[in-house]
């Protein structure tokens, strides 16, 4: 019976919500359309938690259900009472479908093309080889070098792909440590920790960042370079803390190791094209909109160049993480429904948040996100919380002195990426745990400390940037 619960619960609860009368809900003025969105939201949340189907499939189901139940081109029977009191506004079908081609999706697609080309032409491995040379043979400093390189790569590549690459480079090195040497734990653990932290540094580093950008528009708009202006310092400080913590907890007995990475930079025309395009794209991203293009437009430049030159061919296209793109698009569609139907605002206005201290709201939201992110996908967590946080930030006047909506969104986004206490928390954690060198308790010891410290640090950073006028 227990194994069927993960199917029964996600289906039964949304169905019950659909069948309830509007008077059963604690919200004044709830419409039929909003009731349907509540059911879709609960279905998404429960499917992302229990995973009866793959999490990317849940996103596709969200979009299809929105098209069928709450769009102006949905099933006719579900639109019979259109125009009646308490029915609500139907969403435009083309706006729901457009989530598959949202600018956020294009930003990620550009990032995937860059990462794939870098791996295909060994730019990532060769950069690692060159950049690790200055760190010598002391295990403590070699680990620092590995963490910095992993963090840099994960800003522009998938955290999972970065972890897989760095762990494969490390395999012969870890074998040098004795079976009881804590250095094994330190080296295997430092890679996923650095990848999880490093992804915070850029808008394309991890899906929660891209989801946050969807809500940072208008007066709250943050460019690629502006994100890095606060993201990179946060990453540097967190990386230093993580290095000191891991070094303290799992200090290596062996005093000297040799890190041997073979290879050299390719000098073929296509390889040179990859190097130039990679550098050009990053430079254009860092220049913000001073050249007239936003980060979404710039992201499609490598897509065009690599497709035109054959650097990325049709076989490579099959290897793109389409599941991640679908997952993000489902979150955008969910946010669209919560926003356009007015449900997010209705829920937020129904709770007297203004009666609470703005600090209590910020801390509560961040730590709720941190806890959720430890037990479910970071992207799914951000997808669920971000539209509600955006509505809360807009409506809560007492948050304005602290930066308002932008502060709330940023601290919750950072918290989503800091959930890394368990092997199931992130794919990088799972990869490290699969090596057999890291136990769950060892991962939790580091992950819990870094999660709590990271959330507190994000408050301090965003408050400081708001105080000097860079955000909010």
């Amino acid at each position: 019976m227990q194994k069927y619960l993960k199917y029964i619960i996600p289906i039964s609860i949304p169905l019950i919500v659909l069948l309830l009368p509007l008077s059963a809900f604690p919200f004044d003025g709830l419409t039929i359309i909003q009731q349907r969105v509540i059911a879709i939201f609960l279905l998404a949340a429960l499917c992302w938690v229990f995973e009866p189907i793959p999490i990317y499939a849940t996103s596709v189901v969200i979009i299809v259900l929105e098209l069928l139940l709450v769009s102006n081109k949905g099933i006719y029977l579900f639109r019979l009472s259109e125009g009646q009191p308490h029915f609500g506004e139907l969403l435009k079908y083309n706006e729901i479908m457009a989530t598959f081609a949202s600018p956020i999706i294009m930003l990620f697609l550009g990032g995937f093309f860059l990462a794939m080309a870098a791996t295909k032409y060994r730019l990532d491995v060769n950069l690692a080889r060159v950049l690790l040379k200055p760190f010598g043979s002391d295990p403590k400093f070699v680990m620092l070098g590995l963490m910095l390189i992993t963090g840099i790569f994960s800003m522009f590549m998938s955290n999972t792909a970065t972890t897989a690459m760095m762990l494969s480079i490390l395999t012969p090195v870890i074998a040098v440590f004795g079976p009881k040497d804590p250095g094994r734990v330190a080296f295997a653990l430092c890679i996923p920790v650095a990848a999880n932290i490093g992804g915070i540094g850029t808008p394309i580093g991890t899906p929660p960042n891209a989801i946050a950008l969807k809500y940072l528009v208008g007066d709250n708009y943050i460019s690629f370079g502006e994100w890095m202006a606060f993201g990179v310092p946060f990453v540097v400080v967190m990386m230093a803390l993580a290095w000191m913590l891991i070094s303290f907890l799992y200090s290596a007995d062996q005093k000297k190791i040799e890190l041997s990475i073979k290879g050299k930079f390719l000098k073929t025309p296509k390889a040179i094209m990859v190097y130039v395009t990679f550098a050009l794209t990053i430079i254009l991203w860092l220049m913000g909109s001073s050249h007239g293009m936003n980060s979404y437009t710039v992201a499609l430049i490598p897509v065009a160049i690599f497709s035109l030159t054959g650097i990325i061919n049709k076989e490579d296209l099959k290897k793109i993480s389409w599941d991640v793109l679908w997952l993000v698009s489902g979150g955008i569609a969910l946010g669209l429904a919560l926003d356009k139907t007015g449900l997010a605002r209705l829920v937020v206005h129904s709770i007297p948040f203004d009666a609470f201290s703005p600090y209590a709201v910020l801390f509560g939201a961040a730590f709720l996100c941190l806890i959720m992110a430890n037990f479910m996908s970071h992207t799914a967590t951000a997808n669920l919380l971000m539209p509600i946080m955006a509505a809360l930030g807009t409506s809560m006047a007492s948050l304005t002195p602290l930066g308002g909506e932008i502060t709330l969104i940023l601290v919750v986004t950072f918290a989503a990426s800091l959930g890394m206490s368990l092997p199931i928390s992130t794919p990088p954690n799972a990869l490290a745990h699969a090596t057999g060198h890291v136990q769950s308790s060892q991962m939790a010891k580091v992950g819990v400390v870094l999660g709590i410290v990271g959330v507190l640090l994000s408050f301090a950073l965003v408050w400081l940037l708001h105080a000097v006028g860079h955000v909010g």
Side-chain angles (χ1 to χ4, degrees):
M1 179 65 184
Q2 193 171 1
K3 79 173 181 179
Y4 294 111
L5 283 177
K6 73 174 187 177
Y7 298 99
I8 295 169
I9 293 173
I11 294 171
S12 59
I13 293 178
L15 277 176
I16 292 169
V17 167
L18 277 176
L19 296 172
L20 286 172
L22 293 179
S23 57
F25 293 87
F27 310 119
D28 291 330
L30 187 75
T31 65
I32 292 169
I33 291 296
Q34 289 172 340
Q35 180 184 14
R36 293 175 187 174
V37 173
I38 291 173
I40 293 171
F41 180 88
L42 287 173
L43 178 71
L46 293 168
C47 283
W48 277 330
V49 171
F50 288 95
E51 291 192 45
I53 57 175
I55 57 175
Y56 70 87
T58 299
S59 284
V60 179
V61 169
I62 291 167
I63 293 173
V64 173
L65 285 177
E66 286 185 12
L67 288 167
L68 296 177
L69 300 179
V70 299
S71 84
N72 59 350
K73 295 297 178 184
I75 298 174
Y76 179 69
L77 287 173
F78 290 123
R79 295 187 281 120
L80 279 178
S81 19
E82 185 180 359
Q84 298 286 324
H86 306 299
F87 182 75
E89 284 284 326
L90 288 165
L91 300 180
K92 293 178 180 176
Y93 80 97
N94 53 341
E95 289 184 354
I96 298 172
M97 287 184 170
T99 57
F100 276 124
S102 162
I104 304 296
I105 302 296
M106 296 301 108
L107 183 66
F108 254 71
L109 188 64
F112 286 157
F113 266 71
L114 284 175
M116 192 178 295
T119 302
K120 189 174 180 179
Y121 289 88
R122 296 183 61 79
L123 174 61
D124 48 8
V125 174
N126 285 312
L127 278 176
R129 176 175 55 83
V130 171
L131 295 172
L132 279 170
K133 273 186 180 178
F135 292 94
S137 57
D138 186 322
K140 190 163 58 175
F141 293 110
V142 172
M143 185 173 73
L144 175 63
L146 285 167
M147 291 180 73
L148 291 176
I149 304 309
T150 304
I152 291 168
F153 284 167
S154 63
M155 289 183 191
F156 300 98
M157 291 173 60
S158 151
N159 294 353
T160 310
T162 301
T163 302
M165 179 193 77
M166 296 303 288
L167 285 174
S168 66
I169 290 172
L170 264 186
T171 302
V173 179
I174 293 177
V176 172
F177 291 105
K180 298 285 178 77
D181 194 330
R184 279 178 175 252
V185 179
F187 271 65
L189 187 55
C190 76
I191 299 300
V193 167
N196 292 325
I197 293 171
I200 297 171
T202 67
I204 63 166
T206 185
N209 295 3
I211 294 164
L213 279 185
K214 178 69 182 173
Y215 299 94
L216 295 173
V217 292
D219 292 339
N220 293 332
Y221 174 74
I222 293 178
S223 70
F224 201 98
E226 286 170 337
W227 184 289
M228 289 189 72
F230 63 81
V232 172
F234 179 82
V235 167
V236 170
V237 175
M238 284 301 299
M239 206 76 78
L241 291 171
W243 173 63
M244 288 188 286
L245 180 64
I246 295 172
S247 298
F248 173 74
L249 292 174
Y250 308 109
S251 179
D253 294 334
Q254 189 155 319
K255 300 305 176 191
K256 189 175 181 181
I257 59 168
E258 294 297 333
L259 194 63
S260 177
I261 305 172
K262 296 178 181 177
K264 59 181 180 179
F265 283 98
L266 302 176
K267 295 184 175 65
T268 63
K270 284 187 176 179
I272 292 168
M273 180 66 73
V274 170
Y275 306 155
V276 172
T277 305
F278 203 101
L280 175 66
T281 305
I282 292 171
I283 289 168
L284 289 174
W285 270 335
L286 293 176
M287 287 172 67
S289 54
S290 58
H291 41 61
M293 296 182 288
N294 60 21
S295 53
Y296 311 118
T297 304
V298 172
L300 288 176
I301 293 174
V303 175
I305 292 174
F306 293 157
S307 301
L308 183 67
T309 55
I311 288 168
I312 300 296
N313 55 40
K314 63 180 182 181
E315 293 303 314
D316 296 321
L317 286 176
K318 296 173 185 176
K319 300 171 188 172
I320 285 178
S321 301
W322 296 106
D323 58 324
V324 172
L325 298 181
W326 284 11
L327 182 57
V328 173
S329 65
I332 295 170
L334 191 62
L336 176 78
L338 289 167
D339 179 37
K340 294 289 185 181
T341 62
L343 179 59
R345 288 187 297 278
L346 181 67
V347 172
V348 167
H349 286 304
S350 299
I351 302 171
F353 283 108
D354 274 326
F356 302 112
S357 159
Y359 294 100
V361 173
L362 282 170
F363 277 86
F367 281 105
L368 170 64
C369 184
L370 180 65
I371 291 166
M372 288 175 63
N374 273 299
F375 294 96
M376 59 187 282
S377 154
H378 291 182
T379 311
T381 302
N383 276 338
L384 288 172
L385 292 181
M386 213 59 75
I388 296 170
M389 293 304 143
L392 175 57
T394 305
S395 65
M396 193 171 168
S398 59
L399 276 174
T400 305
L402 301 176
E405 180 184 359
I406 193 169
T407 300
L408 188 58
I409 287 176
L410 287 177
V411 295
V412 169
T413 304
F414 283 25
S417 293
L418 291 167
M420 51 179 166
S421 302
L422 304 168
I424 61 164
S425 299
T426 70
N429 282 21
L431 286 171
H433 187 259
T435 64
H437 303 304
V438 186
Q439 295 175 5
S440 297
S441 58
Q442 294 165 330
M443 194 171 277
K445 200 180 292 184
V446 172
V448 168
V449 173
L450 291 178
I452 293 171
V453 172
V455 167
L456 296 175
L457 180 63
S458 70
F459 280 113
L461 176 66
V462 174
W463 179 84
L464 179 64
L465 288 168
H466 173 66
V468 298
H470 284 298
V471 300

